[in-house]
Amino acid sequence: MPWMYLLGSLAGIGLIVILNLMLFGRSRQVLHSLEAARARLASEVPGLCVRESILSADGRAALIRDDHAVYLVAAQGDGFIVRKFAKGTLRSLSRDTARLNLRFADFTLPQFDVPLADAARAAHWQDALRNATA
Amino acid sequence: MNLPSPVTLATPAFVLLVIGEMLYARATAKAHFEARDTATSLMMGLGSTVSGAIFAFIYVAYAGLVAQYAVFDLGYSLAAFIACFVIDDFYYYWWHRISHRVRWFWADHVQHHSSQHYNLSTALRQPWTGVLTPSLLLRTPMFLLGFPLPMLAFVHGLNLVYQFWIHTEAIGKMPRWFETVMNTPSHHRVHHATNARYLDSNYAGVFIVWDRMFGTFVREDETDPPRYGIVKNLGTFNPVKVALHEWVGIAADLIRARSIRDAFLYLMAPPGWSPDGSRQTSDSIKAEWKRHQATQLVAGE
Ligand SMILES: [Zn+2]
Ligand SMILES: [Zn+2]
């Protein structure tokens, strides 16, 4: 009986999720623009004064630097995740030409890659992240 | 006396209402759904039912043990039912408040807050790990009062059923008298928001009067729409990771703790506490926001 209940519930959940997909499609998991990422960060960081920012080549994430810190803003479903880079935030940071490979000390976000437009910009942001997490 | 489980009875209605809200969202864009988020919420609901069934024997054994020493024998009168419902809701307020202010409890309750959406499926996003917290011990006075245990389970179920419908953006404000006394979608949206002005407020289950009495009531401000979720939103939709993430964080901190005092505070201080104050707590976020508001005000003068 409990197994029937469990299987029935799983089937019901599956059907509701399928209906959800039919009605709203699959979220593209991208930031609409760099401005949207900056606006979201500004809503979380009072007095944010952006010095520089860049949208990733795949549109999923943005790196943003203000006077005090560097932040990652990324699309998660149709929502956002924000991470502030500080000492201990990263387990490792490497670069593969124009792609930054971030390994976070974060159970729900262990790794995140940020492809940028070119190697020079990736190297610049790699330095910024290295300084922020030193 | 055999009393039914209100949550079990209401489950078909929950399902129909989630579907109804989805169709309403499609037609009006007044509510929002995302498939992976919905899937996670529903799986959390199912997992919570399963873990509740597995560990129910602990609840029954403890409640039965304590009830032997009950001060009164309150029976099944209508007055007892009403008193039980109101006292249970009062208990719920304090349990909920503690759940936001003590990390040990938060590790469980955060699972309910982990969605960035606010729709009826969010109501079903229930935690799996209540058995790892001392929540049951907090209920000891309720068992000692002498309400029959089936009645306690029944009114608690009713409380949870009430809270289902308030997880929606589809309803703006209820009539004024209702907003004054009862918990409503508007009040509970505030509770689920991470905007600095809304943090740590509106802990009510059914009656919002507890928040008004104990100074935690915050009104929804139309100029500051709620951003739902948690201060550090999760980078996953995996329900197992959602259920475990704060426990993993606590374990990592306890391993790293440099003293008994630090270990104690990692568990018992508000979420985000750290020995060097380098992490954000709701208090530090609110203080920072207030400082900024004050400087804005001065700059505008
Ligand atoms: Zn809560
Ligand atoms: Zn809720």
Side-chain angles (χ1 to χ4, degrees):
Chain A
M1 185 63 186
W3 289 108
M4 291 306 292
Y5 171 79
L6 205 61
L7 288 175
S9 301
L10 285 171
I13 290 171
L15 288 174
I16 293 175
V17 174
I18 288 169
L19 176 67
N20 194 150
L21 279 169
M22 282 165 55
L23 291 174
F24 303 100
R26 204 180 148 83
S27 68
R28 288 175 55 232
Q29 199 142 261
V30 290
L31 299 170
H32 293 298
S33 63
L34 191 51
E35 282 64 43
R38 287 159 66 143
R40 172 67 190 210
L41 186 59
S43 71
E44 296 195 13
V45 181
L48 177 82
C49 183
V50 175
R51 291 294 168 208
E52 58 176 334
S53 56
I54 189 166
L55 192 63
S56 68
D58 59 5
R60 193 185 162 194
L63 292 167
I64 299 173
R65 186 175 72 79
D66 78 348
D67 288 335
H68 310 288
V70 182
Y71 301 88
L72 170 78
V73 178
Q76 168 72 5
D78 57 356
F80 294 89
I81 42 176
V82 173
R83 295 293 185 265
K84 178 182 179 181
F85 292 95
K87 194 171 188 299
T89 306
L90 291 176
R91 284 195 208 286
S92 74
L93 165 65
S94 59
R95 182 168 65 85
D96 186 1
T97 321
R99 176 180 289 266
L100 294 175
N101 312 119
L102 312 179
R103 300 284 176 274
F104 284 91
D106 184 330
F107 181 62
T108 68
L109 188 72
Q111 74 166 87
F112 196 93
D113 287 358
V114 185
L116 294 174
D118 55 61
R121 269 178 264 205
H124 169 74
W125 282 97
Q126 185 182 20
D127 282 346
L129 294 184
R130 207 176 274 141
N131 291 335
T133 53
Chain B
M1 189 184 228
N2 259 342
L3 291 169
S5 157
V7 174
T8 307
L9 285 181
T11 299
F14 291 165
V15 171
L16 291 176
L17 286 165
V18 169
I19 292 171
E21 194 194 23
M22 245 180 224
L23 296 170
Y24 179 79
R26 178 76 183 129
T28 65
K30 282 185 182 164
H32 303 91
F33 284 85
E34 205 263 351
R36 274 168 294 191
D37 175 84
T38 305
T40 306
S41 290
L42 298 179
M43 287 302 292
M44 293 301 294
L46 178 60
S48 170
T49 311
V50 172
S51 80
I54 292 172
F55 296 112
F57 74 95
I58 297 177
Y59 179 93
V60 171
Y62 180 72
L65 185 77
V66 175
Q68 290 176 11
Y69 305 97
V71 182
F72 307 106
D73 180 6
L74 295 170
Y76 281 98
S77 68
L78 180 63
F81 263 105
I82 294 170
C84 189
F85 185 80
V86 173
I87 294 172
D88 177 71
D89 193 52
F90 173 78
Y91 153 80
Y92 181 89
Y93 169 86
W94 283 104
W95 166 81
H96 195 187
R97 189 163 170 176
I98 290 168
S99 290
H100 278 259
R101 299 293 299 170
V102 176
R103 194 183 181 198
W104 190 1
F105 289 78
W106 176 244
D108 184 58
H109 185 60
V110 63
Q111 297 161 41
H112 175 60
H113 283 274
S114 59
S115 172
Q116 295 194 48
H117 283 265
Y118 191 76
N119 54 46
L120 291 176
S121 80
T122 314
L124 305 177
R125 183 177 285 233
Q126 292 295 326
W128 295 2
T129 54
V131 69
L132 299 178
T133 71
S135 291
L136 183 56
L137 296 181
L138 276 189
R139 285 184 78 83
T140 304
M142 293 284 289
F143 303 141
L144 281 175
L145 265 176
F147 290 111
L149 298 181
M151 184 194 282
L152 277 172
F154 180 75
V155 299
H156 196 64
L158 280 186
N159 195 308
L160 296 181
V161 170
Y162 178 86
Q163 292 187 47
F164 174 77
W165 77 280
I166 61 178
H167 289 85
T168 185
E169 291 184 294
I171 297 171
K173 291 249 165 100
M174 300 297 288
R176 198 155 156 208
W177 69 268
F178 197 86
E179 294 280 341
T180 305
V181 181
M182 306 298 286
N183 198 7
T184 63
S186 174
H187 299 329
H188 203 58
R189 282 195 287 271
V190 164
H191 177 67
H192 273 257
T194 59
N195 313 39
R197 76 166 78 229
Y198 295 146
L199 289 172
D200 291 342
S201 62
N202 299 5
Y203 297 114
V206 172
F207 301 116
I208 197 69
V209 288
W210 308 125
D211 285 283
R212 296 185 191 275
M213 276 169 69
F214 299 115
T216 48
F217 177 70
V218 175
R219 196 177 305 281
E220 185 178 29
D221 180 341
E222 276 74 21
T223 64
D224 195 6
R227 292 189 307 276
Y228 305 109
I230 49 180
V231 167
K232 191 176 173 188
N233 280 310
L234 305 185
T236 183
F237 289 105
N238 180 336
V240 176
K241 287 193 164 185
V242 171
L244 296 180
H245 78 272
E246 190 65 22
W247 294 107
V248 170
I250 289 177
D253 285 336
L254 291 180
I255 289 166
R256 266 198 304 265
R258 294 221 179 115
S259 65
I260 301 279
R261 179 185 175 275
D262 284 0
F264 177 79
L265 289 174
Y266 271 132
L267 200 60
M268 301 306 286
W273 176 88
S274 59
D276 61 359
S278 62
R279 300 180 194 167
Q280 287 184 307
T281 64
S282 57
D283 291 334
S284 72
I285 293 168
K286 275 201 274 197
E288 179 65 32
W289 174 73
K290 278 185 185 152
R291 251 197 312 275
H292 182 65
Q293 294 287 104
T295 52
Q296 293 286 90
L297 221 66
V298 171
E301 270 170 7

